[in-house]
């Protein structure tokens, strides 16, 4: 588990390098969602370059597709494509690695980033798994600002109605979006009671940037029968450096040379602390 924690900071550096090379990117959400993606791809899901076309592979959709930089970094680390190619060509003219996930790339199930679509599509994937008597699981990561979309709650209602216990949603609850505090734009508390009222099993992850807590939550989700599960992962936008943390201005931003140096130094400090635990 400690290796995954350290990996999260290595991949954060790749994300920052990617954003600088591409001259743009949703850096704040990349940092809040990183541990969730690392835990899923490196520990939880049955998915790899070798079985990416298997009917029984686990499915994943990054509904908050604007955090694609962290998704690319994790997929590259998993071996779906070269990390060097992603970093050097991200968001440049003619590049395959555009600013939202697209399913022309290996390992990506669907084009995403049009908010509110990920959960309903994953409901369909989970229903197909039930109908085909497959034992794969379906995972979707949504932003908390995204929950203002009505299609999310239509999907949530259907998932419960059809008893989709092979479906696990994650809310990246960093409480910030491009226009400020999520609760000021469209309040969502209490999300736990809201999802429960739709018939979901709800797991609160007090620190959604903690690999150990995420691991325990995903393992619990696998034991739930007869209903879908949602993890409310309380994360920090810009997690990894005080330069970015809890600042709405870092929703989409390219670090200056000085900010870059400070951010990388902060990553290294946190890595060193993990290595000496």
């Amino acid at each position: 588990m400690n290796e995954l924690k350290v990996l999260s900071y290595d991949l954060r550096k790749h994300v920052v390098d990617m954003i600088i090379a591409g001259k743009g990117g949703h850096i704040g959400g990349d940092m809040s969602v990183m541990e969730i993606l690392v835990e899923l791809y490196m520990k939880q899901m049955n998915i790899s370059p070798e079985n990416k076309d298997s009917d029984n592979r686990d499915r994943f959709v990054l509904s908050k597709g604007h955090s694609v930089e962290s998704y690319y970094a994790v997929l590259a680390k998993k071996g779906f494509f070269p990390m060097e190619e992603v970093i050097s060509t991200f968001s440049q003219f003619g590049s395959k690695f555009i600013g939202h996930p697209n399913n022309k790339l290996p390992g990506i199930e669907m084009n995403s980033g049009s908010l509110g679509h990920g959960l309903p599509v994953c409901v369909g994937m989970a229903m197909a798994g039930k109908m085909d008597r497959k034992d794969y699981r379906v995972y979707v990561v949504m932003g908390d600002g995204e929950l203002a979309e009505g299609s999310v709650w239509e999907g949530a209602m259907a998932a419960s109605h059809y008893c989709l216990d092979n479906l696990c949603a994650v809310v990246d609850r960093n409480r910030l979006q491009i226009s400020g505090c999520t609760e000021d734009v469209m309040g969502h508390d209490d999300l736990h009671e809201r999802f429960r009222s739709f018939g979901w099993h709800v797991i609160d992850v007090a620190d959604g940037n903690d690999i150990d807590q995420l691991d325990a939550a995903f393992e619990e989700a696998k034991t739930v029968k007869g209903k879908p599960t949602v993890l409310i992962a309380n994360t920090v936008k810009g997690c990894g450096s005080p330069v970015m943390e809890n600042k709405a201005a870092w929703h989409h931003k390219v670090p200056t040379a000085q900010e870059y140096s400070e951010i990388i130094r902060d990553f290294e400090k946190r890595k060193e602390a993990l290595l000496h635990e």
Side-chain angles (χ1 to χ4, degrees):
M1 299 304 290
N2 217 44
E3 290 178 6
L4 296 187
K5 296 175 187 179
V6 171
L7 174 62
S8 297
Y9 283 94
D10 288 335
L11 295 182
R12 278 183 167 88
K13 181 182 184 301
H14 290 319
V15 166
V16 178
D17 289 340
M18 199 184 304
I19 287 171
I20 287 176
K23 299 181 174 60
H26 291 84
I27 193 167
D30 286 322
M31 301 299 141
S32 65
V33 80
M34 182 59 79
E35 280 81 5
I36 297 168
L37 298 182
V38 167
E39 170 66 19
L40 280 171
Y41 273 89
M42 305 303 170
K43 178 76 161 42
Q44 293 295 326
M45 293 198 304
N46 173 31
I47 184 65
S48 69
E50 293 70 35
N51 77 344
K52 63 182 176 61
D53 298 318
S54 166
D55 289 344
N56 216 31
R57 71 189 183 280
D58 287 341
R59 273 73 165 168
F60 173 80
V61 172
L62 182 66
S63 191
K64 49 169 291 181
H66 54 278
S67 292
V68 70
E69 298 87 8
S70 55
Y71 191 22
Y72 286 158
V74 171
L75 286 173
K77 180 62 180 179
K78 190 74 176 179
F80 283 95
F81 34 73
M83 186 75 75
E84 297 76 13
E85 183 182 2
V86 185
I87 294 172
S88 62
T89 68
F90 171 69
S91 203
Q92 297 181 26
F93 181 75
S95 174
K96 297 180 293 185
F97 301 102
I98 59 176
H100 283 82
N102 77 94
N103 61 7
K104 292 182 180 179
L105 289 171
I108 294 180
E109 298 286 348
M110 67 169 279
N111 299 352
S112 65
S114 185
L115 298 177
H117 289 189
L119 180 60
V121 171
C122 286
V123 167
M125 292 178 178
M127 287 182 68
K130 292 288 189 181
M131 294 170 70
D132 293 341
R133 301 186 184 278
K134 302 291 185 182
D135 59 6
Y136 65 75
R137 292 182 61 76
V138 181
Y139 295 89
V140 57
V141 171
M142 301 177 285
D144 50 1
E146 178 177 1
L147 302 186
E149 298 283 355
S151 51
V152 169
W153 300 103
E154 292 180 49
M157 182 167 52
S160 173
H161 178 78
Y162 291 107
C163 305
L164 300 180
D165 50 19
N166 56 343
L167 174 63
C168 180
V170 184
V171 177
D172 181 17
R173 187 73 164 120
N174 62 37
R175 296 179 178 270
L176 289 172
Q177 57 193 90
I178 192 168
S179 48
C181 177
T182 300
E183 295 310 293
D184 293 334
V185 178
M186 184 63 68
H188 294 305
D189 280 331
D190 183 334
L191 272 182
H192 307 72
E193 290 305 316
R194 190 173 297 182
F195 271 102
R196 285 191 189 101
S197 74
F198 275 77
W200 286 58
H201 178 72
V202 181
I203 303 173
D204 184 78
V205 185
D207 183 352
N209 296 114
D210 182 271
I211 290 283
D212 294 317
Q213 292 185 33
L214 288 167
D215 186 70
F218 282 119
E219 290 299 327
E220 178 183 335
K222 290 177 178 177
T223 70
V224 175
K225 302 302 178 186
K227 60 175 63 178
T229 295
V230 61
L231 276 58
I232 310 297
N234 296 282
T235 61
V236 174
K237 193 147 191 168
C239 180
S241 170
V243 174
M244 304 180 287
E245 288 177 346
N246 280 318
K247 297 175 182 176
W250 282 83
H251 179 85
H252 185 284
K253 186 174 171 66
V254 180
T256 65
Q258 181 178 343
E259 288 168 339
Y260 176 84
S261 297
E262 292 179 32
I263 289 167
I264 299 305
R265 185 171 63 247
D266 291 335
F267 291 171
E268 290 302 319
K269 285 180 181 176
R270 297 196 184 184
K271 265 183 60 178
E272 284 299 314
L274 289 167
L275 289 168
H276 290 93
E277 279 186 357

